[in-house]
Amino acid sequence: DPAIVNGVYWSESLNKVFVDNFDRDPSLIWQYFGSAKGFFRQYPGIKWEPDENGVIAFDCRNRKWYIQAATSPKDVVILVDVSGSMKGLRLTIAKQTVSSILDTLGDDDFFNIIAYNEELHYVEPCLNGTLVQADRTNKEHFREHLDKLFAKGIGMLDIALNEAFNILSDFNHTGQGSICSQAIMLITDGAVDTYDTIFAKYNWPDRKVRIFTYLIGREAAFADNLKWMACANKGFFTQISTLADVQENVMEYLHVLSRPKVIDQEHDVVWTEAYIDSTVTTASRLADDQGLVLMTTVAMPVFSKQNETRSKGILLGVVGTDVPVKELLKTIPKYKLGIHGYAFAITNNGYILTHPELRPLYEEGKKRRKPNYSSVDLSEVEWEDRDDVLRNAMVNRKTGKFSMEVKKTVDKGKRVLVMTNDYYYTDIKGTPFSLGVALSRGHGKYFFRGNVTIEEGLHDLEHPDVSLADEWSYCNTDLHPEHRRLSQLEAIKLYLKGKEPLLQCDKELIQEVLFDAVVSAPIEAYWTSLALNKSENSDKGVEVAFLGTRTGLSRINLFVGAEQLTNQDFLKAGDKENIFNADHFPLWYRRAAEQIPGSFVYSIPFSTGTVNKSNVVTASTSIQLLDERKSPVVA
């Protein structure tokens, strides 16, 4: 295909753009361009693995990021001819065409499928006269019902067209659906009339509903009528002779629906829902699950700026990049949220982009994903939001706050905590998702602050037994290339010494972590004296002592050699539950903070891989400063 070959040539200039982008921002993972012609250009390049039939079936134009960026939200009624002439291969091709159309619909779209002969047959009878959201569950449900269609009788297209126009009109007037583009997809082996009286009644002169006609079979006897219907209603006509023709011909309608965007030069930026993908190439993957993280894609349409193509509204394709959800979490100041506070974000459809209760895998660290993990609604995890007050406010982009009692699971769902939350929600400018923050009242409401000199603070912060939360942003080291190799501690030192004026840091957090480092320093000497005074004849007893503060600072003291530790992973980077993370405080920290000051919490891991680990008991207690009015947990 000359158009594809030519497109591959002119898009080669994107390679330099992708490389330059990566040099400026190494946090970029995949960058790519999906062409309207079907070819896909990606950086970094990977070796594509064919399926068992030797075919690489990936089509970028079927991906949600492409569909959302290329077209506006739409209401679609699919009409399928099931008259006697559609028997055999024609009906098989028609069903495959419907399935391919469903592939091009996303969560922002609404649809229904009606089969017709002398009568109307809704593919799902329970959804008579309405449209449903094109989410994964609904599309799969309709696909199952497609197999029940069989051909008989005479095709009465006028009845089907009247029904389709009425549904679209009702939906538009009630403010349901996409409230944007509307279309009727007609799949048939012919039409005996142009049905201009129906179009004159419902669709002319505004032509708000586009008609797309798909002629099934090799015969072209009735092609003229179908062509006229499509052209008279701002749509498109195509003929599908074999199953191999289905995919490419269905895609043609996307080019038509993208025209208004191109002509008006609407470079809308879209963000997809969260999904699991790899941050590394197949060749680099050391383990089955390495590099698999929750991501969202940000994408935008690509138009030609040449006048002759711009006036025709020709979409060249869609460009996009993947953003790990944890990059969004880095922007949330975790230390301000407190012990049980958490941040979450949802899409404009109410689906979770990030939330502590979103668990997309059946087992931690395994590749098995739950089938609907990318369409988990906020109402499924914020159980006490029974009237959807929080959910609806966020979907409608409202800002503000309110309070409610919630049940929150901890220990990976093994315990439930009941608490009162203050919920704040806001709209992040330029994104179609809303951010929410839950702050627990009574826990973490008060801060404990003090002043120390920079020299004192840096001296204690650089102690070998002190570490900072890896996933917290004390300083933004991504903005400038010269800062990217810096650890957070190195960045803090440069910032405080004034040697890097371009370094952007959280001054408040740094002041607090310096104070915590100085105030907690004496405990190291205490631990050391305990270790030295241990009786040589005593049992192993304590293996490790540790302390954590609200600012993400940890102090760790080993009472035995590192090789003698029963649980080698404890407090290490892989032990996600017991270290300061982007979305939660350590488990032992949260447990202790729930109890009366001075009391200890003893815990044993619920499930462990080895027998030895079950012998480890973790004891933790909170350190609080008490007076008559306030009781902040300081460590």
Side-chain angles (χ1 to χ4, degrees), residues 238-470:
T238 186
Q239 185 166 2
I240 303 176
S241 304
T242 66
L243 283 170
D245 297 336
V246 172
Q247 178 75 7
E248 199 61 36
N249 284 312
V250 163
M251 289 297 168
E252 292 292 347
Y253 95 86
L254 288 177
H255 302 162
V256 177
L257 287 184
S258 67
R259 281 179 194 159
K261 273 193 172 187
V262 181
I263 293 169
D264 295 338
Q265 296 289 287
E266 293 178 6
H267 276 92
D268 295 334
V269 177
V270 300
W271 295 70
T272 67
E273 76 286 352
Y275 61 93
I276 290 178
D277 204 352
S278 176
T279 57
V280 295
T281 60
T282 310
S284 308
R285 224 170 285 171
L286 300 176
D288 282 346
D289 60 345
Q290 182 184 339
L292 288 177
V293 298
L294 270 178
M295 285 193 200
T296 177
T297 292
V298 55
M300 64 189 298
V302 179
F303 312 141
S304 169
K305 291 187 175 180
Q306 296 176 341
N307 287 333
E308 64 270 23
T309 52
R310 179 178 171 181
S311 60
K312 294 176 184 175
I314 296 175
L315 177 78
L316 297 179
V318 172
V319 68
T321 186
D322 295 339
V323 181
V325 168
K326 69 179 181 182
E327 291 293 321
L328 301 175
L329 288 174
K330 281 183 181 178
T331 65
I332 309 298
K334 186 73 186 88
Y335 73 102
K336 289 185 179 179
L337 302 190
I339 299 156
H340 293 300
Y342 55 92
F344 51 96
I346 64 172
T347 67
N348 60 310
N349 290 300
Y351 296 148
I352 294 170
L353 190 73
T354 175
H355 192 287
E357 296 303 315
L358 177 63
R359 290 188 280 270
L361 304 177
Y362 281 112
E363 297 173 69
E364 194 74 21
K366 303 294 183 184
K367 287 181 72 174
R368 285 188 65 220
R369 304 169 206 171
K370 297 172 183 175
N372 296 320
Y373 74 90
S374 62
S375 55
V376 177
D377 198 277
L378 183 67
S379 59
E380 294 179 53
V381 294
E382 292 292 344
W383 307 321
E384 302 307 303
D385 187 26
R386 293 190 186 91
D387 298 324
D388 289 339
V389 175
L390 172 66
R391 181 194 181 279
N392 292 343
M394 292 180 70
V395 167
N396 294 325
R397 306 292 186 85
K398 292 182 180 177
T399 58
K401 73 169 187 173
F402 75 102
S403 300
M404 69 178 183
E405 277 202 349
V406 300
K407 293 186 181 75
K408 182 179 185 298
T409 65
V410 285
D411 299 5
K412 297 180 183 174
K414 298 182 177 75
R415 290 192 303 133
V416 175
L417 174 71
V418 181
M419 64 189 201
T420 303
N421 264 359
D422 282 331
Y423 279 93
Y424 295 78
Y425 37 86
T426 184
D427 176 29
I428 303 175
K429 190 174 182 182
T431 65
F433 52 81
S434 294
L435 176 72
V437 172
L439 294 173
S440 52
R441 287 198 289 174
H443 279 304
K445 187 173 181 181
Y446 301 112
F447 291 75
F448 181 68
R449 289 188 179 133
N451 291 318
V452 295
T453 65
I454 290 175
E455 291 73 20
E456 271 187 300
L458 282 178
H459 175 268
D460 289 323
L461 205 56
E462 290 182 284
H463 194 280
D465 292 339
V466 172
S467 62
L468 298 179
D470 283 342

